Every structure is written in structure tokens, then in C-alpha cells.
Amino acid sequence: MRIEPADLDSAAFIALMEEHRLAMQATAPPESQHALDLSGLKQPHVSVWVLREDDALLGCGALQHLDATHVEIKAMRTSRTHLRRGVGKTLLAHLLQEARVSGYSQASLETGSMDYFAPARRMYADAGFVECGPFADYVDDPNSTYMTRAL
């Protein structure tokens, strides 16, 4: 497996983001869906990586700059055909290392509070994230869980 910067215009990446969008649509009301679309991922304050194995795109993850010390984990997605292989953990470790190297001292994220997101919340907790209140532009939302950790 290898991690590389994402080609946001590739058909495989676009298909993965569509899979992500459909999953969010099926699990949360529109006002609680905080996934970045392709135009959001193409912003200069967002960096996106993918995990590949041979030609297969296994998953992706992104960092969104919030301020000089704070970064947000975004666009974490494992392809449904590659679940339970450590894709999320591998990408998360890479994102946290990239954040450290870039000089950030805090990483935060938003994920769903529904049962569907329980594996993601466990993965983040295992990586040292703890629940916190809303950050950046987020507001209290019963469908969201906010998490943060020092880097």
C-alpha cells in the first residue's frame, strides 16, 4: 500500500467521493452533512491524500487548515470494497504526521453520532482523540460528534 497526493479529477477519486456523499445522505439529515464536495477539496487550504494498492484506490483523507495551530481532519473515507483492512488507521496516522510536520499543534474532526459512525469514533479515540464541543464554524448538533487531540 502507498499513500500519495490525491488526483481530485481522477474517475476513481470522483467515484469514491460519490460513495462518500451517498453514505452521508443515507445516514444524516442535510443540515448535519459536513463532508466537503470536490470544489471544497480543491481549495488551497485543503490537502488530500489517497491510499492505493496497485491500481486500486482504497481510501482517502484530508487536512483543512483552520488557523496557524489548528487543523481539521476531513474527507476520511474507506472504499466499501476495502473495509476492515486498516485503511482508515493508515490514512489517519499519515494525516497526523503531516499535520505535525506542518507545525500544527491541534487536530480536530467532526463525525456522525449515529451507530453507523461508531467504528470511526472508536478509531479516532484509539488514536488519542477525545470528545469536545463544536469548533471552527460548527454548531451544536445531536447528529455530530466533535473530537480533538494535541499533536
Side-chain angles (χ1 to χ4, degrees):
M1 290 192 262
R2 69 186 185 284
I3 296 176
E4 60 190 38
D7 175 356
L8 304 180
D9 295 317
S10 75
F13 186 81
I14 292 169
L16 183 62
M17 288 298 92
E18 179 63 7
E19 180 183 315
H20 189 53
R21 185 188 70 76
L22 291 172
M24 297 306 99
Q25 196 173 40
T27 57
E31 65 275 9
S32 297
Q33 296 173 30
H34 303 291
L36 292 175
D37 62 12
L38 282 172
S39 66
L41 292 171
K42 291 180 178 182
Q43 296 303 306
H45 60 280
V46 178
S47 300
V48 187
W49 290 269
V50 294
L51 182 64
R52 293 187 164 282
E53 185 173 61
D54 300 320
D55 290 334
L57 179 59
L58 282 58
C60 65
L63 293 175
Q64 179 173 273
H65 171 88
L66 297 177
D67 64 41
T69 62
H70 196 183
V71 68
E72 182 177 2
I73 306 290
K74 296 291 287 184
M76 287 289 292
R77 182 70 187 179
T78 299
S79 169
R80 67 178 167 261
T81 59
H82 298 288
L83 294 171
R84 312 290 182 265
R85 295 187 53 205
V87 172
K89 287 180 185 180
T90 301
L91 281 163
L92 183 58
H94 177 79
L95 294 175
L96 293 174
Q97 181 59 27
E98 287 288 335
R100 281 185 207 96
V101 167
S102 297
Y104 294 105
S105 59
Q106 181 179 8
S108 299
L109 61 90
E110 179 276 336
T111 191
S113 61
M114 296 73 88
D115 288 344
Y116 175 85
F117 297 97
R121 292 192 306 271
R122 274 192 303 277
M123 178 186 71
Y124 296 131
D126 288 348
F129 284 85
V130 295
E131 289 191 28
C132 64
F135 60 93
D137 295 331
Y138 292 106
V139 296
D140 250 341
D141 181 347
N143 296 303
S144 289
T145 297
Y146 307 99
M147 302 180 84
T148 196
R149 66 159 285 173
L151 297 173

